[in-house]
Amino acid sequence: MDPGTAVAVATLSAKVASTIWEYYKNVQSARDEIKFFANELEDLGRLMRKFPELADRSSELPMAASLDASIRQVLSDLETLESRLVPGKGAKAMRRLGMRAWKWPFSKSEVEQWVTRFQRLEEKANFALNMDLTPLIIDVNANITELSQGQEASEQERLLAKLPLARNAAFDSWDRQHESLCIEDTRVELLQRLRDWGAAHPKPLYWLSGMAGTGKSTIARTLAHYFQSIGTLGGSFFFSRSSGEANNAINFVGTLARHLANRSLKLRRSVCEAISTHEDVTRQGLRNQWKELILAPLSSTRGQLEGRTTLNLVIDALDECGSDEDIETILQLCVEIKDLKEVDLGIFVTSRPEVTIRLGFDAIPDIIHQKLDLRDVPRDLVEHDLSVLLEREFGRISIKHKLPGWPKHEDIRALVQQSDCLFIYATTACRYIGELDKDPEERLSEVLGSGSTRGGNTASEIDITETCYRFKQVVGSIVTLFDEFSICGLAGLLGISDKRVEQSLCRLHSVLNIPKDVESSIRLLHPSFRDYLLDKKRSDGRFCVDRGLKHEELAKHCLRVMSTGLKRNMGHLTTPGSPPHDAKREYLNTQLPKHVQYACQYWVDHLEGIRADSGTKHGFPNDWDIQFFFQKDFLHWLEAMSLMAKMSQAVLLITRLQDLLGPGSNDILLATVEDARRFIFSNRAIIEKAPLQTYASALVFCPKESFVRQWYLDKLPTWLIRNPAVEDRWGNCVQTLDLGSWAGDPPSMAFSPDGKYIASTPFNGETHIWKTATGALHSTLASYEPGIAAIGFLQNGILASLYRDGTLRMFDPVTGVICRTIECPILDYGVPLELSEGPIPSLSILPGEDLATLSPKGEVWIWSWERNSWLKRSIPGNIIACLCGCLSDGTLVVTIFREGNCVELCLWNSLTSTVQSLTTGWVVPVAVSSLNVIAWGTEEGSIELYDAGAGSLSELMQGHRRCVVTALRFPPDGRSLVLGASDRTLRSWDLSTQAESLVDTTISGVDFAAFSPDGKHMAAMSSLNRTIQLYSFPLKAEPNSREVRKAGIMSINISPNGKQLAACTFGENVIQIYNTGSEALEHSLSGHSASICATAFSQDGQRLASASLDESIRLWFPRTGASGKVVSGIPGLNSIRVLAFSPNGKLLVSGYWYGKILLLDAESGALHHSFELESTPDAITFSSDGRKIACAGFHGARAIGVWNTSTGNLLHEVGGLEPSGQAAAAISPNGKYLSYSLGDTAVVIYGMEAEEKIDLPDALYHGSSSSVFSRDNKSLATCRQRDGKIKLWDVATAQLIGVSPIKARASRLSFPTEGNFLESEHGYIPIRYIQGNSSDNSSATLTHWRYSTRDRWIMEGARKMLWIPPAYSSDTDCIAHHAGLFAFTHRSGIAFLGFKQGEVVTDMQG
């Protein structure tokens, strides 16, 4: 193949095509033929350009190499064609005279002939290339498939690594490899019965119970091994009291899910998909994990599993799961497999017959489970199996020690009798007798002569040659620890050498499984050995382990290990906002080895263990050891717990430590632990999501007087050069639950009867169950359309959820199982709630297990749990507006509709139909106490009380605060009243003394409050801030000394030069001007007589304009605080929506709710022009020269208008649209283009000279939007508010240039002078991110910070750096930014944060 010829054809075809395009521009006729001809030549050129690239591989492309002659012929044809297309001299002369000289030289038939010639070559070339490349493509496809599969496998491993896994819980784990199975000819009948069950599952759940030492675990291992051999084992979990990974339920579901994923590729994909879809499922409760990781994958495998669709799970030693609650939950979860249709799943469980487990199985219907107690197995069968076991083991010993004919049959029979049906006794005796360096005959005589009838005593006869001290140091630790350790790990924890541990254990192989590998775990061969050593009555005093003393030693070891082993950023995370799963495992394994992880998790358990035995008099370690931990390692410990996904455990540990210290302890230590508890409660959620925020957000926003803040000031981020002003000390709010976004239903919340859980709704249409003790999300209940109307707990702990379609569903909040589904007759069948008239359905819990619901027709339906039936009640001639509660005798407190949108508060006995009126008017909210006292708020802001027992009415609080009561709630004892008000305060009133106390001041007020039944906890919900705040009673903290603003800040603006900030508050008529450098209040601009509704700075920052409800616009000089002109007397000035200065500051434009636009002189206040839109203006923008002004509104014949600012003439208008949402508009700097969007319509670029519109593809905007032109007029940036996506468009072609990976939800966009960045109210966004070059930092000369309203993060580019707590507003109008300086509003005013400019942050250590 000659590459030169192909290049010549490619070059000449491009040249000829260019000439033909000139004809296309200048010739009026035959344009279609000319265009067709030019396109064909361009196709030919593209094809020929491929050939030189293939020249080096001509040996692999024989067909393509044979085309040389055809290519040379086409080159000759192109030369001929070129000569005919060049105009002659006459044509050039005519063009000089300005005359048209172009004439197409070919007829239609000639064009077709030329095209046919070129197409023949193209066909030949394409055919040749296809023939040559097919084998290569097949190879490439095979490589791509292999690569894709490898990538999929890698991604699956990454997802599966997120599962909480107990590696030693599998029956065939490395740690259990030496544990025996049932030997041949033993347990024959029992094993066959279990195998038959596993093949058909007549009942899906099987429980095998038995006392300690009866061989339950051996049977479970044997059965699991059999299921694995025939391909029906789905997974196994062998609980172990001595294993930290397997002595609780934390890793239970994750381990089984991992085993299922290894069962088949289909299940693996299903499990991985569940992890990917529900990213936080591994941090949720057992119920959600079981649902998403076990049931959902199994339900998605219809017809997909290879081989048999029968699967078995084996769960051993359930009694060794540390928590009775977890055991109950596991049994409840096991019941759910009965509904699986796709897979025949059986669960085999073994345990001792503990009370919790017996009661759990008793609650399960017999049709679902079957059980067998090993004590019911005939004794002769057990003794036969013991004889077989002993004969086999003694046969092995006799061969090893060369003792033919040993032992005697009567010795075996005697040992069988002595074993008393306990297999553990027989196996321990065999290990003891068969030790290599001992005489088996002597030891057998020793055992038979001991007269022991219980295997636990065998251990006391072991010949211990090491000192008692070493025995207690090493073996005492093994039996006291809460987890298993390897030789290496145990040595690290105890601070001794590996050799010393090995020497201490060398004679204990008969009671301990001691692996040769120092990295494998040492395990007790049976839990009874622990019981023996810890029992002073049974064990030899020389070897008895003093539990309290050993716990004290281990507590000291844990504190020492944490002091030497913990440090900052142990996972080598790349950003302060990186989640724990981004930690590099190779670093974690080094920085957090097993003994360090153990110390982090169990140091408080050992402190508790010191006093666990009432007879133990030991005290705590030196208080200074614990105090030193908090001063030096507390933050490191929190980071480590987050990396281990143990933050909820960390919360409980500090709470338990506080309870453990109690009154009389060291005052300094008590104060330290309380401060640490408040720190962890306030920051648990963010530390759990981002470990390094321990040193960032948690520390930055910590109160000034906090011990933690004072001790760790040097750990504050170095890239944060200006810290916000914070509270002096901790407030009464213990922690805040972030609820995310509402789904549209009214918020609702309730405590469970035992106070352990809080149910909240809605969260994306779901109900969330939170743990009160830790604030962790326990589970998420399934969502059902069309949404929830109300929730409430019955006294039996069942959660009742009333849905908008009239369905009442009863959930077990712990497991999430639906107990009952009841069709509630409150709605007419088929009538959507949205079309129903009257009140929204509500729910009220009655005494006992009854509840009342309210229909949209104003009728009450009462449902009885016991009768499982409905009873209708109504007030004749009245429509009930709301169910407010009930008295102790069942009398309902209701409101009924009256004329004029008024309601009447009544007491209604539904049985006697007696109605007693209490008041008429504004009666929201209403609360009912346990003492039959009713409280309600009035329109004037007062609170009135009615004592139903005494029949007396009184007033608690007069409306002196001029605020509306938003929430009312009595605590369970009814002696006080907590109220939330529109001034954002939460207050408590003592009803006996009338004393008032401030509970808290919130950022956005309280809509709803609830108390736990014991009165120790109160939850306050804010729908505006989407949070639940938890308080502990009785209140301990005094209000902070920092001034609390009486009214919330409505908006803040930073001047263009960044030197001043203007703040407006709700309901006030003063503008406060702050110096952004000193944060000092410089001026209070007063003059308005009513609330201020809009403000705007001029571009030079010299002027400030404000509009008020007093029907005036005022101009100010913010630097001096002086007042300028006042504009008044113009109708409608009290309804200003938008206010803006022209670029030169000489003009001021104001937009009104009813569509009027006024253009004013910014110096004199004189009216220049008045414009009209047919709808409320959402956006007003000037051109860069100030000559044009564009206004965008909702809809109408003039939804978009462009006017000349000098003449007032209307230049352009766009209308005829009726979208929803808000509008936006922008004018290009050269004044030639207008961009706009109207609600849900596409973004449009409008050429104002040609009056042409171009809809940008894929740019639908839902809700408010923003856009801006670049300074060179070539690009347009747009931001979609629904998802925060920022896109960059080419103005000339309307083509998409790129999409930013950063989501900003910006309402104000601009291009700074350098043009390399987009600026919004949230910060800077580099253009390179939008263009797809986010990895390129070479040109970055500034650090560009921004705020993400979506998840409350301060970002550096695409990196999360600092999380902003919910106490700081996320409302766009209450956030301002300028050059790395951010201002946020909060309850005490404004917080300023400054970030380092000029370099990219690379040091994660600070």
Side-chain angles (χ1 to χ4, degrees), residues 1137-1138 1149 1151-1153 1155-1157 1172-1181 1189-1196 1198-1203 1212 1214 1219 1221-1227 1234-1239 1265 1267:
R1137 177 175 169 81
V1138 185
V1149 64
Y1152 299 80
W1153 280 97
K1156 181 181 287 293
I1157 312 293
E1172 293 285 347
L1173 277 182
E1174 291 193 356
S1175 64
T1176 301
D1178 276 327
I1180 298 178
T1181 183
I1189 185 172
C1191 302
F1194 284 86
H1195 56 79
R1198 187 180 297 156
I1200 301 288
V1202 180
W1203 288 269
H1212 306 280
V1214 179
Q1222 292 180 288
I1227 299 176
L1234 169 72
S1235 75
Y1236 64 86
S1237 65
L1238 300 174
S1265 57
S1267 61

Side-chain angles (χ1 to χ4, degrees), residues 655-914:
T655 303
R656 286 161 53 195
L657 177 62
Q658 187 177 43
D659 295 340
L660 190 62
L661 293 174
S665 299
N666 183 307
D667 290 340
I668 296 177
L669 183 58
L670 278 173
T672 295
V673 175
E674 169 61 14
D675 187 66
R677 186 183 73 89
R678 296 302 306 271
F679 184 89
I680 192 172
F681 265 109
S682 296
N683 300 288
R684 178 200 62 79
I686 186 55
I687 296 176
E688 185 174 56
K689 295 177 181 177
L692 294 186
Q693 287 301 299
T694 308
Y695 316 96
S697 177
L699 202 54
V700 166
F701 296 102
C702 187
K704 287 190 294 186
E705 296 178 9
S706 163
F707 293 142
V708 175
R709 183 184 182 90
Q710 294 171 14
W711 291 330
Y712 294 96
L713 275 176
D714 60 334
K715 303 294 185 182
L716 285 167
T718 56
W719 38 264
L720 183 64
I721 58 176
R722 184 168 170 184
N723 290 293
V726 294
E727 306 290 358
D728 292 337
R729 52 186 172 269
W730 297 108
N732 284 315
C733 178
V734 176
Q735 63 178 315
T736 300
L737 309 181
D738 194 347
L739 303 178
S741 58
W742 298 114
D745 295 321
S748 186
M749 176 179 60
F751 274 95
S752 63
D754 58 8
K756 293 181 178 180
Y757 301 100
I758 302 172
S760 68
T761 183
F763 181 88
N764 296 333
E766 299 172 333
T767 300
H768 274 195
I769 307 296
W770 308 84
K771 288 186 176 180
T772 308
T774 65
L777 180 63
H778 173 70
S779 62
T780 301
L781 304 186
S783 60
Y784 297 91
E785 295 295 338
I788 298 174
I791 60 173
F793 278 98
L794 303 180
Q795 290 302 312
N796 60 8
I798 297 299
L799 178 67
S801 298
L802 178 64
Y803 289 78
R804 290 178 173 271
D805 62 356
T807 303
L808 187 63
R809 291 183 174 89
M810 305 291 188
F811 293 90
D812 183 322
V814 178
T815 65
V817 175
I818 296 179
C819 304
R820 295 187 186 180
T821 299
I822 305 159
E823 294 301 325
C824 181
I826 63 173
L827 289 178
D828 293 334
Y829 179 77
V831 180
L833 180 60
E834 290 76 12
L835 303 180
S836 303
E837 297 181 358
I840 294 176
S842 57
L843 194 65
S844 183
I845 306 300
L846 305 180
E849 309 302 344
D850 296 350
L851 55 83
T853 64
L854 177 63
S855 78
K857 295 181 179 180
E859 303 164 339
V860 172
W861 289 82
I862 298 176
W863 181 81
S864 168
W865 176 275
E866 183 178 351
R867 295 190 305 270
N868 194 22
S869 61
W870 290 99
L871 184 64
K872 177 181 175 182
R873 292 285 186 264
S874 62
I875 303 177
N878 293 278
I879 296 177
I880 300 174
C882 180
L883 282 174
C884 306
C886 71
L887 304 182
S888 57
D889 63 358
T891 298
L892 293 173
V893 181
V894 301
T895 55
I896 58 177
F897 283 114
R898 288 289 183 241
E899 296 180 359
N901 294 323
C902 183
V903 295
E904 181 178 356
L905 181 64
C906 303
L907 293 179
W908 173 41
N909 188 317
S910 61
L911 297 178
T912 63
S913 298
T914 304

